[in-house]
Structure formats: structure tokens, C-alpha cells
Amino acid sequence: MTNPTDPSYFKTRTVEEWKASRRDTPEDVEEAKKLLLLIKDGADVFKTIRKNPLPNRGNISKYTLVLAYHQMVAAGELQEDPELLAKIRMKPSRTLSGVTTVTVLTAPWPCPGNCIFCPTDERMPKSYLPDEPGAARAFQNHFDPYLQVSSRIQSYEAVGHPTDKIELLILGGSWTSYPWDYQQHFIQRCFDAMNECESENLQQAQHINETASHRNVGLVVETRPDLLDAETLRKLRVLGVTKLQLGIQSMNDEILQLNRRSLTVKEALERVALARAAGFKIVLHWMPNLLGATPESDREDFKHFWQAPEEGYGYCPDELKIYPTQLLQGTDLYQEWERGNYEPYDMDTLVHLLADIKPTIQPYCRVNRVIRDIPSHHVVAGNTRSSLRMDIQELMKANGTACRCIRCREIRGQKVQPEDLVLNDFRYHAAYADEHFLQYVTENDKLAGYLRLSIPDHPENAPIDELKDCALIREVHIYGQSLPVGAEQSGAAQHIGLGSTLIEEACRIAGEMGFPRIAVIAAIGTRRYYESRGFERGEYYLIRKLK
Ligand code: SF4
Ligand SMILES: [Zn+2]
């Protein structure tokens, strides 16, 4: 196995080499201007690009078309034409949530865990297979963080997407089990790529990013709950992490044990609560169809996510990834299947199970996935259908039910005006905290923006000293096409001051409850946004005094 802590592992291209590889020479832009006029007159975008290749250089990218558009508008050769701009962009749904996600993988590294369903491929970080989409890209880039981030940003730009607000999603085994030096270096190089310049250390890279053109507005790592303690959470804040993906998999101790998960339900809940008390947003992974589970036990299990602390739970995840167990060769689960101890659910059973549990998801939670992108040839038996999500939707429709999760209520590209929106406060009790999900919704319950305010039951026990008397803002999210900073688009939700109003409302609630201060877990690229709204820099958070 390669040693990712060896500095030679980072096979990095210089910024100059990187820029030189981009296909936006002045000649290309001139060609693109001609094509743009054809498209404006009604020609099909793809056909026009295909029929007019650049001499020896392949097709003109959409990035170059968008660049040509902006140059022509600036020179007065073309009137602003949002429809034309929309046409020359591709896959707009990827950024409709307001932020562009860049996914990168860490280098191969063993995980201290021993879960029976987890695949091992020594070319990959534990639990990943080399031909999963994100993993294949990481492999091509030698797991180099700089190359992975740069190439992803470039591909987004090539299809004309704004890349000024980036959520960085770092996948691969258990992040907090990597050496601390590796963690710092990896993040520094991700920031260097967003900043398009080299830095001397992590702090400098973060400082540069506050005003960079690709600003980091969220940083996510995945790890196991049992690897979290107060000191680890503090270090994650040093790195600028704002969101944690944690594998829960099941809330049944017997099933956890059978699948060789290393901690109990109670322990996992305590760690999740600790992460919440440090202000992190929490994404939990859940796996139906583990060894020992039945469709009935999975239905029961799923209920525990939303049960209150008084009932012995209080996980209340902000986001969920549902990964039905997939039977992969080489895993210990495969041996159990060979011995006749395990049977994957058939498709029908799985679709019915998921269609039954989805309507029970609470409106403050976002379901990001209901299947993992494992290429079907790895799956020995059981679910391989990639249309699972649609099958579930259809069944729910036939049952007359619906999912009320954040993802299903996002406003997407719809235009809204402030007077169309109402602000409501959805309250729930999670372990050791009273949560206020402040949401702006339309009369049809479409979600235009929200804020997560956490009121700790015992602020004096906060895992990080700075938070000892603070209420916490864990997330502010406003929807709308991810516009370049400062750009105007009438009616787009991000630009009608929803964020500020939500923050003021959170401060009012916390103030009335007697909290002297409120803290926000700010991503590096949003620090200045909060400073301009009355927050001051603390050591790890931004903090505002309350009257
Ligand atoms: S903790 Fe995660 S990465 Fe480690 S063995 Fe278990 S499932 Fe795999
Ligand atoms: Zn949903």
C-alpha cells in the first residue's frame, strides 16, 4: 500500500501548468462567439458544438461559450439574455441548491473498523471500489487533493456553472483516523486549488480563501462516531470542517454486533450529540438489510431516528444517506451468504420498505441518497437497480404518500418574492439540545431557505470552551441558482436578504432565552459574511453578543 503521509505522494502540477491546460485561448473565445450567435438564433447547443470543432483541439467547451457570452455582453455586442445563458449551461440541477459540491477522496489508508459488509481494495481508501464514479476520478489524479479539486472546478467551469461557492466533500474511510499531518496538508492543498495559488501553511491558505474567487462555503468529512471526542472536534474546526458524515448503520445493538460495528447504540448517540454541541451539521448513514435484519426490524429501526431523548434516542439527523446493504465479493458478509446465513432483500421488498419509511422523515432532514453508486458488476445478489429512487417515488404516489424531507421540498429554480414566503419555526428535541428549524416556505410548502438554531440543554458542558455560554447557529442555507457573488437575478432566493432575516430571528430567540452570546460554525469562505452581520472572530467560531 502506498504511504499517503510520504510528501512525494502529492504529485502536484503547478498553478501555471494547470492554467496552461485550460482551453480558453483568445482564438477559442472568438470561435465561441460565432457559435453563440448561431445558438441565439435557435440552433441546438450540442449539435452546433459538435459540428464546429476547433482545428486539432476538439470541441469548444461550454465554459468557453459562457466566457464568450460575458465578453460580448460587456462589449455591448450582445444584449443580456438569461435564457441564452441558461441554454449554454449544462446540468443546472447540480447547482440549484445554491452551492457547487466538489467531491474528493483521501489516499488509501486502513480503517481501524472491521465491519462485515465493507469492501477492501488496497488501491482505495477502505470501503471504496476503484470504479465508483468519484473514486475513479481520485485514482486518475493519484489522490492528490490539489489535482482533484482543480480538475473538478475546471469541469464545472467547462459546462458554464458558477464555481464561486464551493462545498468540499472529502470522502474515504475514516478521516479522523488519518495522521494529523496528512489531514492538515490535504486540506491546505484543497484550499490552494480553490485559491489558484500556493500557500506556506494551512492558516495562510484559509486566509487567502476568504477573498478567493472559489470560496469554500462548507467542508465535509466522513468518519466513525467512535473516533470523535472533544479534542478531535476542536481539530476539525482548525481545519475548517463544518459538517460530519457519520456511519450509524443501525440502532439495534444486536444487529450492530452481528455486523461487527465497534460501538453500541448509546455510545453512537452520545458522540452524535457531542458533534451537535460543537455546532457541526450531521449527516448519518443508515443501512437496511444488514445481517440479522428483516424488513420489519428495519421499519422499527428507522423510527428511532426521529424519537426524542425521553424515548431513549434523539439522533435527529440533519441529513441522511440510506445505503441498502449490497452484497460484495470478498467481504465477510459474502461468506455469511455462502453459508446460507444471509439473504439480500429482493427489489420489491426493498422498494416497499423505502416507500414506507420515506414519508416518516421529518421536514428538517435532507435525504441525500437511497442507494450507493457501486457499479452493478460488483454486486453478487440483491439490489442493483439504479432507478431505485424513481421506483420508490412511483410507489409512494400510488400509496398517496409523499416525502417531506428538505430535498423533496427545495424550491429549485422557482422564482420567489419575499411576500410569497412565510417564516415558521419547526421545533424538536434532539439529545441534549432543543432545535429550532427556522424555515422560509411558500404556501405550497416549498423551501426557500432555512437556519438551524441549536439551544443546548447544558451550554456549560460544551465540548469546546469558546461555546460555553452560547446558542449555536449550525447552518444557514438559502436556495436559488448559485449566482456569482454580487450578481443580480430578480427573485432568486439567495438575493432577497433571507439569510440576514433568519440570523436576526435566531438571535432574537436565543436572546429571549437569556443566552449572552450566539456562535456560528462558519466555513472559511463565509467568515466575512458573518462579520458583516455583527459576528466577531473567536478562536474556532464566529460569535455575536446578544442584548
Ligand atoms: S468503519 Fe466504515 S470504512 Fe471502516 S470498516 Fe466499517 S464501514 Fe468500512
Ligand atoms: Zn425526500
Side-chain angles (χ1 to χ4, degrees), residues 203-258:
Q203 285 66 34
Q204 190 190 40
Q206 290 174 332
H207 179 71
I208 295 171
N209 191 256
E210 288 181 16
T211 51
S213 50
H214 308 296
R215 219 127 346 134
N216 178 250
V217 299
L219 208 172
V220 195
V221 298
E222 60 177 354
T223 194
R224 299 184 329 172
D226 50 334
L227 295 174
L228 292 180
D229 55 23
E231 174 58 9
T232 310
L233 293 169
R234 188 193 65 77
K235 282 178 162 174
L236 290 171
R237 284 307 299 145
V238 171
L239 300 174
V241 174
T242 56
K243 193 192 282 187
L244 294 172
Q245 295 205 50
L246 302 171
I248 289 296
Q249 321 314 11
S250 167
M251 288 158 283
N252 176 320
D253 279 326
E254 220 173 289
I255 291 180
L256 288 175
Q257 222 177 9
L258 269 177

Short mmCIF file of all heavy atoms in Angstrom, two decimals, residues 203-258:
data_model
loop_
_atom_site.label_atom_id
_atom_site.label_comp_id
_atom_site.label_asym_id
_atom_site.label_seq_id
_atom_site.Cartn_x
_atom_site.Cartn_y
_atom_site.Cartn_z
N GLN A 203 -3.10 27.90 7.60
CA GLN A 203 -3.72 29.15 8.01
C GLN A 203 -3.67 30.18 6.89
O GLN A 203 -4.62 30.90 6.63
CB GLN A 203 -3.05 29.74 9.27
CG GLN A 203 -3.40 29.01 10.57
CD GLN A 203 -2.87 27.58 10.61
OE1 GLN A 203 -1.80 27.29 10.05
NE2 GLN A 203 -3.60 26.67 11.23
N GLN A 204 -2.52 30.19 6.20
CA GLN A 204 -2.40 31.16 5.10
C GLN A 204 -3.38 30.81 3.98
O GLN A 204 -4.05 31.68 3.42
CB GLN A 204 -0.97 31.18 4.57
CG GLN A 204 -0.75 32.32 3.62
CD GLN A 204 0.59 32.22 2.89
OE1 GLN A 204 1.01 31.13 2.49
NE2 GLN A 204 1.25 33.35 2.75
N ALA A 205 -3.48 29.53 3.67
CA ALA A 205 -4.40 29.10 2.60
C ALA A 205 -5.83 29.48 2.95
O ALA A 205 -6.60 29.94 2.10
CB ALA A 205 -4.28 27.59 2.39
N GLN A 206 -6.18 29.30 4.22
CA GLN A 206 -7.54 29.65 4.65
C GLN A 206 -7.76 31.16 4.55
O GLN A 206 -8.81 31.61 4.09
CB GLN A 206 -7.77 29.20 6.10
CG GLN A 206 -7.84 27.68 6.23
CD GLN A 206 -7.93 27.21 7.67
OE1 GLN A 206 -7.45 27.90 8.57
NE2 GLN A 206 -8.51 26.05 7.89
N HIS A 207 -6.75 31.91 4.97
CA HIS A 207 -6.88 33.37 4.91
C HIS A 207 -7.09 33.85 3.47
O HIS A 207 -7.95 34.67 3.20
CB HIS A 207 -5.63 34.00 5.53
CG HIS A 207 -5.65 35.48 5.50
ND1 HIS A 207 -6.49 36.22 6.30
CD2 HIS A 207 -4.98 36.37 4.72
CE1 HIS A 207 -6.33 37.50 6.03
NE2 HIS A 207 -5.42 37.63 5.08
N ILE A 208 -6.31 33.27 2.56
CA ILE A 208 -6.44 33.66 1.15
C ILE A 208 -7.85 33.34 0.64
O ILE A 208 -8.46 34.08 -0.12
CB ILE A 208 -5.38 32.94 0.28
CG1 ILE A 208 -3.97 33.39 0.68
CG2 ILE A 208 -5.60 33.21 -1.22
CD1 ILE A 208 -2.85 32.59 0.04
N ASN A 209 -8.38 32.22 1.10
CA ASN A 209 -9.69 31.79 0.59
C ASN A 209 -10.84 32.73 0.97
O ASN A 209 -11.87 32.76 0.30
CB ASN A 209 -10.01 30.37 1.06
CG ASN A 209 -11.21 29.81 0.35
OD1 ASN A 209 -12.30 29.74 0.90
ND2 ASN A 209 -11.05 29.47 -0.93
N GLU A 210 -10.63 33.53 2.03
CA GLU A 210 -11.72 34.42 2.44
C GLU A 210 -12.11 35.39 1.33
O GLU A 210 -13.23 35.88 1.30
CB GLU A 210 -11.31 35.21 3.68
CG GLU A 210 -11.26 34.34 4.91
CD GLU A 210 -10.89 35.13 6.15
OE1 GLU A 210 -10.96 36.37 6.15
OE2 GLU A 210 -10.50 34.48 7.13
N THR A 211 -11.17 35.68 0.45
CA THR A 211 -11.49 36.61 -0.63
C THR A 211 -11.22 35.98 -2.00
O THR A 211 -11.15 36.68 -3.01
CB THR A 211 -10.63 37.89 -0.50
OG1 THR A 211 -9.27 37.49 -0.34
CG2 THR A 211 -11.04 38.72 0.70
N ALA A 212 -11.06 34.66 -2.05
CA ALA A 212 -10.71 34.00 -3.33
C ALA A 212 -11.94 33.92 -4.23
O ALA A 212 -13.07 34.13 -3.80
CB ALA A 212 -10.20 32.59 -3.04
N SER A 213 -11.70 33.61 -5.50
CA SER A 213 -12.84 33.55 -6.42
C SER A 213 -13.61 32.23 -6.28
O SER A 213 -14.75 32.15 -6.69
CB SER A 213 -12.39 33.79 -7.85
OG SER A 213 -11.32 32.95 -8.14
N HIS A 214 -12.99 31.18 -5.74
CA HIS A 214 -13.73 29.96 -5.42
C HIS A 214 -13.77 29.86 -3.90
O HIS A 214 -12.83 29.36 -3.28
CB HIS A 214 -13.05 28.72 -5.99
CG HIS A 214 -12.74 28.82 -7.44
ND1 HIS A 214 -13.70 28.93 -8.41
CD2 HIS A 214 -11.55 28.85 -8.10
CE1 HIS A 214 -13.13 29.01 -9.60
NE2 HIS A 214 -11.82 28.97 -9.43
N ARG A 215 -14.82 30.37 -3.32
CA ARG A 215 -14.88 30.45 -1.87
C ARG A 215 -15.42 29.17 -1.26
O ARG A 215 -16.36 28.60 -1.79
CB ARG A 215 -15.77 31.62 -1.48
CG ARG A 215 -15.23 32.33 -0.32
CD ARG A 215 -15.01 33.78 -0.35
NE ARG A 215 -15.00 34.61 -1.50
CZ ARG A 215 -15.64 35.76 -1.52
NH1 ARG A 215 -16.42 36.11 -0.52
NH2 ARG A 215 -15.51 36.53 -2.56
N ASN A 216 -14.80 28.71 -0.18
CA ASN A 216 -15.29 27.49 0.47
C ASN A 216 -16.44 27.83 1.42
O ASN A 216 -16.25 28.54 2.40
CB ASN A 216 -14.15 26.82 1.25
CG ASN A 216 -14.64 25.58 1.97
OD1 ASN A 216 -14.74 25.55 3.19
ND2 ASN A 216 -15.02 24.57 1.23
N VAL A 217 -17.63 27.31 1.12
CA VAL A 217 -18.79 27.62 1.97
C VAL A 217 -19.25 26.42 2.79
O VAL A 217 -20.26 26.48 3.48
CB VAL A 217 -19.96 28.18 1.13
CG1 VAL A 217 -19.56 29.46 0.42
CG2 VAL A 217 -20.46 27.15 0.11
N GLY A 218 -18.50 25.33 2.72
CA GLY A 218 -18.83 24.15 3.52
C GLY A 218 -17.73 23.12 3.36
O GLY A 218 -17.17 22.97 2.27
N LEU A 219 -17.39 22.43 4.47
CA LEU A 219 -16.33 21.42 4.39
C LEU A 219 -16.80 20.18 5.15
O LEU A 219 -17.10 20.26 6.33
CB LEU A 219 -15.04 21.98 4.99
CG LEU A 219 -13.72 21.43 4.45
CD1 LEU A 219 -12.55 22.23 4.99
CD2 LEU A 219 -13.51 19.98 4.71
N VAL A 220 -16.90 19.08 4.43
CA VAL A 220 -17.49 17.86 4.98
C VAL A 220 -16.46 16.74 5.01
O VAL A 220 -15.79 16.50 4.00
CB VAL A 220 -18.66 17.38 4.08
CG1 VAL A 220 -19.51 16.35 4.82
CG2 VAL A 220 -19.50 18.53 3.57
N VAL A 221 -16.36 16.05 6.13
CA VAL A 221 -15.55 14.82 6.16
C VAL A 221 -16.40 13.69 6.70
O VAL A 221 -17.42 13.92 7.34
CB VAL A 221 -14.27 14.96 7.03
CG1 VAL A 221 -13.35 16.04 6.50
CG2 VAL A 221 -14.62 15.23 8.49
N GLU A 222 -15.99 12.45 6.39
CA GLU A 222 -16.74 11.31 6.94
C GLU A 222 -15.85 10.54 7.91
O GLU A 222 -14.66 10.38 7.69
CB GLU A 222 -17.30 10.42 5.83
CG GLU A 222 -16.30 9.79 4.90
CD GLU A 222 -16.98 8.86 3.87
OE1 GLU A 222 -18.19 8.62 3.95
OE2 GLU A 222 -16.26 8.37 2.99
N THR A 223 -16.47 10.09 8.98
CA THR A 223 -15.71 9.32 9.95
C THR A 223 -16.66 8.46 10.78
O THR A 223 -17.86 8.44 10.52
CB THR A 223 -14.84 10.24 10.83
OG1 THR A 223 -13.89 9.44 11.52
CG2 THR A 223 -15.66 11.05 11.83
N ARG A 224 -16.10 7.73 11.74
CA ARG A 224 -16.95 6.89 12.58
C ARG A 224 -17.23 7.62 13.89
O ARG A 224 -16.33 8.27 14.43
CB ARG A 224 -16.24 5.58 12.89
CG ARG A 224 -15.93 4.78 11.66
CD ARG A 224 -15.32 3.47 11.99
NE ARG A 224 -14.52 3.52 13.21
CZ ARG A 224 -14.02 2.45 13.79
NH1 ARG A 224 -14.24 1.27 13.29
NH2 ARG A 224 -13.28 2.56 14.87
N PRO A 225 -18.43 7.47 14.42
CA PRO A 225 -18.75 8.19 15.65
C PRO A 225 -17.75 7.92 16.76
O PRO A 225 -17.39 8.82 17.51
CB PRO A 225 -20.14 7.68 16.04
CG PRO A 225 -20.70 7.06 14.81
CD PRO A 225 -19.56 6.66 13.93
N ASP A 226 -17.24 6.66 16.84
CA ASP A 226 -16.37 6.36 17.98
C ASP A 226 -15.00 7.02 17.86
O ASP A 226 -14.21 6.98 18.80
CB ASP A 226 -16.23 4.85 18.20
CG ASP A 226 -15.87 4.11 16.92
OD1 ASP A 226 -16.21 4.60 15.84
OD2 ASP A 226 -15.25 3.03 17.02
N LEU A 227 -14.72 7.64 16.74
CA LEU A 227 -13.44 8.34 16.61
C LEU A 227 -13.58 9.83 16.99
O LEU A 227 -12.68 10.62 16.76
CB LEU A 227 -12.91 8.22 15.18
CG LEU A 227 -12.54 6.79 14.75
CD1 LEU A 227 -12.17 6.75 13.28
CD2 LEU A 227 -11.40 6.24 15.59
N LEU A 228 -14.74 10.21 17.51
CA LEU A 228 -14.96 11.62 17.86
C LEU A 228 -14.87 11.83 19.36
O LEU A 228 -15.48 11.11 20.13
CB LEU A 228 -16.36 12.06 17.41
CG LEU A 228 -16.62 12.15 15.91
CD1 LEU A 228 -18.06 12.61 15.68
CD2 LEU A 228 -15.65 13.09 15.22
N ASP A 229 -14.09 12.84 19.75
CA ASP A 229 -14.13 13.31 21.13
C ASP A 229 -13.89 14.82 21.07
O ASP A 229 -13.75 15.38 19.98
CB ASP A 229 -13.08 12.61 22.01
CG ASP A 229 -11.67 12.73 21.43
OD1 ASP A 229 -11.43 13.68 20.64
OD2 ASP A 229 -10.81 11.90 21.74
N ALA A 230 -13.88 15.47 22.22
CA ALA A 230 -13.81 16.93 22.22
C ALA A 230 -12.55 17.43 21.49
O ALA A 230 -12.61 18.38 20.71
CB ALA A 230 -13.84 17.45 23.65
N GLU A 231 -11.41 16.78 21.73
CA GLU A 231 -10.17 17.22 21.10
C GLU A 231 -10.22 17.05 19.57
O GLU A 231 -9.75 17.90 18.82
CB GLU A 231 -8.98 16.45 21.72
CG GLU A 231 -7.63 16.71 21.08
CD GLU A 231 -7.19 18.18 21.09
OE1 GLU A 231 -7.85 19.01 21.75
OE2 GLU A 231 -6.20 18.49 20.40
N THR A 232 -10.82 15.94 19.12
CA THR A 232 -10.93 15.72 17.68
C THR A 232 -11.83 16.79 17.05
O THR A 232 -11.54 17.30 15.97
CB THR A 232 -11.52 14.32 17.41
OG1 THR A 232 -10.78 13.39 18.17
CG2 THR A 232 -11.47 13.97 15.94
N LEU A 233 -12.91 17.11 17.74
CA LEU A 233 -13.82 18.13 17.20
C LEU A 233 -13.11 19.49 17.11
O LEU A 233 -13.30 20.24 16.15
CB LEU A 233 -15.08 18.24 18.07
CG LEU A 233 -15.99 17.00 18.05
CD1 LEU A 233 -17.05 17.08 19.13
CD2 LEU A 233 -16.63 16.81 16.68
N ARG A 234 -12.28 19.77 18.10
CA ARG A 234 -11.52 21.03 18.07
C ARG A 234 -10.59 21.05 16.85
O ARG A 234 -10.51 22.03 16.12
CB ARG A 234 -10.71 21.19 19.37
CG ARG A 234 -10.03 22.55 19.51
CD ARG A 234 -9.00 22.54 20.63
NE ARG A 234 -7.88 21.65 20.36
CZ ARG A 234 -6.86 21.93 19.53
NH1 ARG A 234 -6.82 23.09 18.91
NH2 ARG A 234 -5.88 21.05 19.34
N LYS A 235 -9.93 19.93 16.62
CA LYS A 235 -9.01 19.86 15.46
C LYS A 235 -9.78 20.01 14.15
O LYS A 235 -9.29 20.63 13.20
CB LYS A 235 -8.26 18.54 15.46
CG LYS A 235 -7.11 18.50 16.45
CD LYS A 235 -6.49 17.14 16.38
CE LYS A 235 -5.10 17.09 16.97
NZ LYS A 235 -4.60 15.72 17.01
N LEU A 236 -10.97 19.43 14.09
CA LEU A 236 -11.76 19.55 12.86
C LEU A 236 -12.11 21.02 12.60
O LEU A 236 -12.18 21.46 11.46
CB LEU A 236 -13.04 18.71 12.96
CG LEU A 236 -12.81 17.19 12.93
CD1 LEU A 236 -14.11 16.44 13.25
CD2 LEU A 236 -12.27 16.73 11.57
N ARG A 237 -12.29 21.78 13.68
CA ARG A 237 -12.55 23.22 13.49
C ARG A 237 -11.29 23.94 13.02
O ARG A 237 -11.39 24.89 12.25
CB ARG A 237 -13.07 23.85 14.80
CG ARG A 237 -14.50 23.54 15.13
CD ARG A 237 -15.43 23.87 13.97
NE ARG A 237 -15.39 25.29 13.62
CZ ARG A 237 -15.49 25.74 12.37
NH1 ARG A 237 -15.64 24.94 11.35
NH2 ARG A 237 -15.45 27.03 12.14
N VAL A 238 -10.13 23.48 13.48
CA VAL A 238 -8.88 24.09 12.99
C VAL A 238 -8.82 23.94 11.47
O VAL A 238 -8.41 24.84 10.74
CB VAL A 238 -7.64 23.42 13.64
CG1 VAL A 238 -6.35 23.88 12.99
CG2 VAL A 238 -7.62 23.69 15.14
N LEU A 239 -9.28 22.79 10.98
CA LEU A 239 -9.23 22.54 9.53
C LEU A 239 -10.30 23.32 8.78
O LEU A 239 -10.21 23.51 7.57
CB LEU A 239 -9.43 21.04 9.26
CG LEU A 239 -8.41 20.09 9.86
CD1 LEU A 239 -8.82 18.65 9.64
CD2 LEU A 239 -7.01 20.33 9.28
N GLY A 240 -11.35 23.74 9.50
CA GLY A 240 -12.44 24.46 8.83
C GLY A 240 -13.62 23.56 8.51
O GLY A 240 -14.50 23.94 7.73
N VAL A 241 -13.67 22.36 9.11
CA VAL A 241 -14.78 21.43 8.84
C VAL A 241 -16.08 21.97 9.44
O VAL A 241 -16.08 22.52 10.55
CB VAL A 241 -14.46 20.03 9.44
CG1 VAL A 241 -15.65 19.09 9.30
CG2 VAL A 241 -13.23 19.44 8.77
N THR A 242 -17.17 21.83 8.68
CA THR A 242 -18.47 22.32 9.16
C THR A 242 -19.52 21.21 9.26
O THR A 242 -20.54 21.39 9.88
CB THR A 242 -19.02 23.40 8.21
OG1 THR A 242 -19.09 22.86 6.89
CG2 THR A 242 -18.16 24.64 8.22
N LYS A 243 -19.26 20.08 8.58
CA LYS A 243 -20.29 19.04 8.53
C LYS A 243 -19.62 17.68 8.66
O LYS A 243 -18.55 17.46 8.09
CB LYS A 243 -21.01 19.13 7.18
CG LYS A 243 -22.29 18.33 7.09
CD LYS A 243 -22.82 18.22 5.66
CE LYS A 243 -23.54 19.43 5.14
NZ LYS A 243 -24.16 19.20 3.82
N LEU A 244 -20.27 16.77 9.40
CA LEU A 244 -19.70 15.43 9.59
C LEU A 244 -20.66 14.38 9.05
O LEU A 244 -21.85 14.41 9.33
CB LEU A 244 -19.49 15.16 11.08
CG LEU A 244 -18.44 16.03 11.76
CD1 LEU A 244 -18.47 15.79 13.27
CD2 LEU A 244 -17.06 15.74 11.21
N GLN A 245 -20.10 13.45 8.29
CA GLN A 245 -20.87 12.28 7.86
C GLN A 245 -20.47 11.13 8.76
O GLN A 245 -19.29 10.77 8.83
CB GLN A 245 -20.52 11.88 6.43
CG GLN A 245 -20.90 12.90 5.41
CD GLN A 245 -21.09 12.24 4.04
OE1 GLN A 245 -21.79 11.24 3.91
NE2 GLN A 245 -20.47 12.80 3.03
N LEU A 246 -21.45 10.56 9.44
CA LEU A 246 -21.15 9.51 10.41
C LEU A 246 -21.94 8.26 10.09
O LEU A 246 -23.14 8.32 9.84
CB LEU A 246 -21.53 10.00 11.82
CG LEU A 246 -20.84 11.29 12.29
CD1 LEU A 246 -21.48 11.78 13.58
CD2 LEU A 246 -19.35 11.06 12.49
N GLY A 247 -21.26 7.14 10.11
CA GLY A 247 -21.94 5.87 9.88
C GLY A 247 -22.63 5.40 11.15
O GLY A 247 -21.98 5.15 12.16
N ILE A 248 -23.97 5.34 11.11
CA ILE A 248 -24.73 4.79 12.23
C ILE A 248 -25.10 3.35 11.88
O ILE A 248 -24.95 2.43 12.67
CB ILE A 248 -26.00 5.64 12.47
CG1 ILE A 248 -25.62 6.97 13.05
CG2 ILE A 248 -26.99 4.91 13.39
CD1 ILE A 248 -24.97 6.89 14.41
N GLN A 249 -25.60 3.20 10.67
CA GLN A 249 -25.95 1.90 10.05
C GLN A 249 -27.17 1.23 10.68
O GLN A 249 -28.05 0.78 9.98
CB GLN A 249 -24.77 0.91 9.99
CG GLN A 249 -23.39 1.48 9.67
CD GLN A 249 -23.31 2.44 8.50
OE1 GLN A 249 -24.31 2.90 7.99
NE2 GLN A 249 -22.10 2.78 8.09
N SER A 250 -27.21 1.15 12.02
CA SER A 250 -28.37 0.53 12.67
C SER A 250 -28.47 1.09 14.08
O SER A 250 -27.48 1.56 14.64
CB SER A 250 -28.17 -0.99 12.72
OG SER A 250 -29.11 -1.56 13.60
N MET A 251 -29.69 1.07 14.64
CA MET A 251 -29.86 1.48 16.03
C MET A 251 -30.35 0.31 16.87
O MET A 251 -31.14 0.46 17.79
CB MET A 251 -30.82 2.68 16.09
CG MET A 251 -30.15 3.95 15.54
SD MET A 251 -31.29 5.20 14.98
CE MET A 251 -31.80 4.54 13.40
N ASN A 252 -29.82 -0.87 16.51
CA ASN A 252 -30.15 -2.10 17.23
C ASN A 252 -28.83 -2.77 17.62
O ASN A 252 -28.03 -3.14 16.75
CB ASN A 252 -30.97 -2.99 16.26
CG ASN A 252 -31.29 -4.34 16.84
OD1 ASN A 252 -30.46 -4.96 17.49
ND2 ASN A 252 -32.49 -4.81 16.57
N ASP A 253 -28.58 -2.86 18.92
CA ASP A 253 -27.28 -3.36 19.39
C ASP A 253 -26.94 -4.76 18.89
O ASP A 253 -25.79 -5.06 18.57
CB ASP A 253 -27.21 -3.33 20.92
CG ASP A 253 -26.87 -1.93 21.42
OD1 ASP A 253 -26.10 -1.23 20.72
OD2 ASP A 253 -27.39 -1.52 22.46
N GLU A 254 -27.97 -5.60 18.81
CA GLU A 254 -27.72 -6.97 18.36
C GLU A 254 -27.23 -6.97 16.91
O GLU A 254 -26.27 -7.67 16.55
CB GLU A 254 -29.04 -7.73 18.45
CG GLU A 254 -28.93 -9.12 18.96
CD GLU A 254 -30.33 -9.69 19.15
OE1 GLU A 254 -31.02 -9.25 20.09
OE2 GLU A 254 -30.72 -10.52 18.32
N ILE A 255 -27.89 -6.18 16.09
CA ILE A 255 -27.51 -6.12 14.67
C ILE A 255 -26.13 -5.47 14.52
O ILE A 255 -25.30 -5.92 13.73
CB ILE A 255 -28.60 -5.40 13.85
CG1 ILE A 255 -29.83 -6.31 13.81
CG2 ILE A 255 -28.12 -5.06 12.45
CD1 ILE A 255 -31.01 -5.80 13.07
N LEU A 256 -25.88 -4.46 15.31
CA LEU A 256 -24.56 -3.82 15.25
C LEU A 256 -23.47 -4.84 15.55
O LEU A 256 -22.44 -4.91 14.87
CB LEU A 256 -24.48 -2.65 16.23
CG LEU A 256 -25.28 -1.40 15.85
CD1 LEU A 256 -25.21 -0.36 16.97
CD2 LEU A 256 -24.75 -0.78 14.56
N GLN A 257 -23.72 -5.63 16.57
CA GLN A 257 -22.73 -6.63 16.99
C GLN A 257 -22.52 -7.70 15.90
O GLN A 257 -21.39 -8.04 15.57
CB GLN A 257 -23.19 -7.28 18.27
CG GLN A 257 -22.06 -7.45 19.23
CD GLN A 257 -22.55 -8.04 20.53
OE1 GLN A 257 -23.70 -8.48 20.65
NE2 GLN A 257 -21.68 -8.06 21.51
N LEU A 258 -23.64 -8.17 15.35
CA LEU A 258 -23.55 -9.20 14.30
C LEU A 258 -22.73 -8.71 13.11
O LEU A 258 -22.04 -9.48 12.45
CB LEU A 258 -24.96 -9.52 13.78
CG LEU A 258 -25.74 -10.63 14.45
CD1 LEU A 258 -27.13 -10.71 13.84
CD2 LEU A 258 -25.00 -11.96 14.27
#
